[in-house]
């Protein structure tokens, strides 16, 4: 309500997005329907489902994902964990997203968490190689709202390490030890960069070495999204029961290999319905 009033006063469109991994649909449910009325929130399930499928990583919280059926569940239901049991958390996780517009969920293949929380800050390009093209395509051409991380659109290769600059040396040491402890669930080396070391920050700076191949690929993906996705519904569309039978032929090929390996029968034309 405050954001809406401020926007109207200053002639600005303000959107409130929650950074959360709780899969709580009440965040984007309207206030009149007992929700918080936010415009969107992050959907980590989609990232984890695709990344583990492409990379084969299965340590830590990635152990809850891996198979193509997790990607299918995200595309169909919004969340993968929508009130089902998480073996990693040892509890039921998430809520039902129901028929709310899927573009209220923000997705990405990179962000400060998914890269910065890795021991060595590797970007998907370094981990996946050419499979990064598939990752980007599935994100940008999905029914969700895509978010790009700094430099991914031109093939940036520099890591994005976790760095801090606290005045308290004891606090800096505790952060470093906490980082190493956090990685105990993963197979990463404990010889990680010190977050308080100035070199850690310097190594995280962008190189700005643009790859024409990546720039053109992202331009193509964005053009396809504008033509076949964005024109079918506006961003943060009001919760109305509008259904569009748009199969998005140009991007379905990116999902076909997953669909063939998924045992669950599912109709593709439901993917972009809202």
């Amino acid at each position: 309500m405050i954001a809406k009033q401020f926007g109207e006063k200053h002639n600005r469109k303000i959107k409130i997005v929650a950074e959360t991994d709780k899969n709580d649909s009440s965040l984007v449910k309207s206030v009149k329907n007992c929700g918080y009325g936010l415009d969107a929130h992050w959907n980590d399930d989609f990232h984890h489902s695709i990344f583990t499928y492409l990379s084969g990583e299965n340590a830590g919280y990635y152990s809850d994902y891996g198979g193509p059926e997790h990607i299918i569940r995200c595309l169909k239901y919004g969340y993968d964990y929508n009130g089902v049991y998480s073996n990693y958390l040892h509890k039921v996780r998430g809520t039902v997203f129901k028929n709310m517009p899927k573009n209220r969920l923000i997705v990405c293949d990179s962000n400060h968490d998914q890269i910065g929380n890795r021991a060595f800050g590797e970007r998907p390009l370094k981990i996946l190689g050419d499979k990064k093209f598939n990752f980007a395509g599935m994100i940008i051409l999905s029914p969700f709202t895509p978010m790009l991380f700094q430099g991914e659109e031109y093939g940036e290769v520099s890591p994005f390490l976790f760095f801090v600059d606290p005045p308290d040396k004891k606090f800096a040491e505790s952060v470093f030890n906490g980082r190493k402890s956090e990685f105990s669930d993963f197979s990463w080396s404990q010889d990680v960069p010190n977050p308080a070391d100035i070199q850690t920050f310097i190594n995280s700076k962008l190189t700005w070495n643009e790859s024409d191949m990546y720039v053109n690929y992202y331009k193509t993906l964005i053009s396809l999204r504008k033509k076949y996705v964005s024109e079918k519904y506006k961003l943060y569309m009001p919760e109305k029961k509008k259904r569009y039978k748009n199969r998005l032929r140009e991007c379905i090929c990116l999902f076909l290999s997953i669909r063939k390996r998924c045992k669950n029968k599912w109709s593709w034309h439901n993917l972009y319905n809202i």
Side-chain angles (χ1 to χ4, degrees):
M1 182 64 70
I2 296 176
K4 182 179 180 180
Q5 292 174 348
F6 182 88
E8 291 176 349
K9 180 179 179 180
H10 296 278
N11 194 27
R12 294 174 56 188
K13 293 182 179 180
I14 299 176
K15 304 296 182 181
I16 305 298
V17 178
E19 180 181 341
T20 174
D21 63 356
K22 302 301 182 183
N23 291 3
D24 183 359
S25 59
S26 69
L27 291 171
V28 293
K29 190 179 296 184
S30 64
V31 174
K32 69 178 181 180
N33 289 324
C34 302
Y36 289 92
L38 303 185
D39 295 289
H41 76 74
W42 288 20
N43 183 9
D44 283 353
D45 272 2
F46 197 49
H47 170 277
H48 298 345
S49 297
I50 302 175
F51 179 75
T52 54
Y53 176 73
L54 294 176
S55 69
E57 290 193 17
N58 60 2
Y61 50 80
Y62 286 151
S63 62
D64 271 345
Y65 307 88
E69 66 276 7
H70 295 283
I71 303 175
I72 298 298
R73 282 180 55 82
C74 286
L75 291 170
K76 186 175 182 180
Y77 301 119
Y79 305 137
D80 179 19
Y81 284 85
N82 57 351
V84 298
Y85 187 79
S86 161
N87 290 317
Y88 176 71
L89 297 176
H90 304 294
K91 65 179 182 180
V92 172
R93 173 172 174 252
T95 62
V96 177
F97 196 67
K98 294 187 177 179
N99 295 321
M100 288 186 288
K102 290 190 177 77
N103 57 357
R104 290 181 179 269
L105 298 177
I106 308 295
V107 297
C108 65
D109 71 25
S110 311
N111 64 32
H112 64 273
D113 284 331
Q114 307 311 332
I115 303 178
N117 286 343
R118 296 182 66 86
F120 301 98
E122 311 100 315
R123 293 171 178 261
L125 177 58
K126 182 175 179 61
I127 302 168
L128 300 175
D130 287 344
K131 292 181 181 179
K132 171 63 170 70
F133 287 103
N134 296 36
F135 204 170
M138 296 175 79
I139 292 294
I140 295 177
L141 298 179
S142 75
F144 311 116
T145 297
M147 177 176 67
L148 304 185
F149 185 69
Q150 52 188 32
E152 74 164 280
E153 72 281 3
Y154 64 77
E156 179 62 58
V157 296
S158 67
F160 187 79
L161 298 160
F162 183 85
F163 52 84
V164 295
D165 185 24
D168 189 335
K169 292 184 178 180
K170 289 186 177 181
F171 176 76
E173 184 178 353
S174 66
V175 170
F176 189 22
N177 292 331
R179 291 279 291 170
K180 291 188 287 187
S181 175
E182 180 183 353
F183 300 146
S184 61
D185 287 340
F186 296 84
S187 58
W188 300 328
S189 168
Q190 293 296 299
D191 186 22
V192 300
N194 187 336
D197 188 335
I198 185 61
Q199 193 60 46
T200 301
F201 167 71
I202 293 175
N203 291 342
S204 300
K205 288 188 174 183
L206 300 176
T207 64
W208 293 102
N209 294 325
E210 297 188 6
S211 164
D212 290 339
M213 177 176 62
Y214 271 94
V215 171
N216 292 333
Y217 181 66
Y218 272 80
K219 284 182 177 179
T220 300
L221 290 177
I222 293 172
S223 295
L224 287 172
R225 181 175 180 86
K226 285 182 177 180
K227 183 176 181 180
Y228 293 103
V229 182
S230 298
E231 288 304 313
K232 294 301 179 182
Y233 52 82
K234 298 301 181 182
L235 192 61
Y236 308 126
M237 183 178 179
E239 296 171 20
K240 297 180 180 179
K241 294 182 178 179
K242 293 186 177 180
R243 301 176 66 82
Y244 300 100
K245 295 181 178 180
N246 174 31
R247 297 177 183 270
L248 299 179
R249 292 180 176 86
E250 278 76 4
C251 72
I252 289 302
C253 61
L254 295 170
F255 302 103
L256 284 179
S257 61
I258 298 172
R259 175 65 182 86
K260 289 178 181 178
R261 294 184 59 181
C262 185
K263 296 180 180 179
N264 298 330
K265 293 182 180 180
W266 183 54
S267 177
W268 279 103
H269 73 269
N270 289 327
L271 173 56
Y272 290 83
N273 287 348
I274 54 176

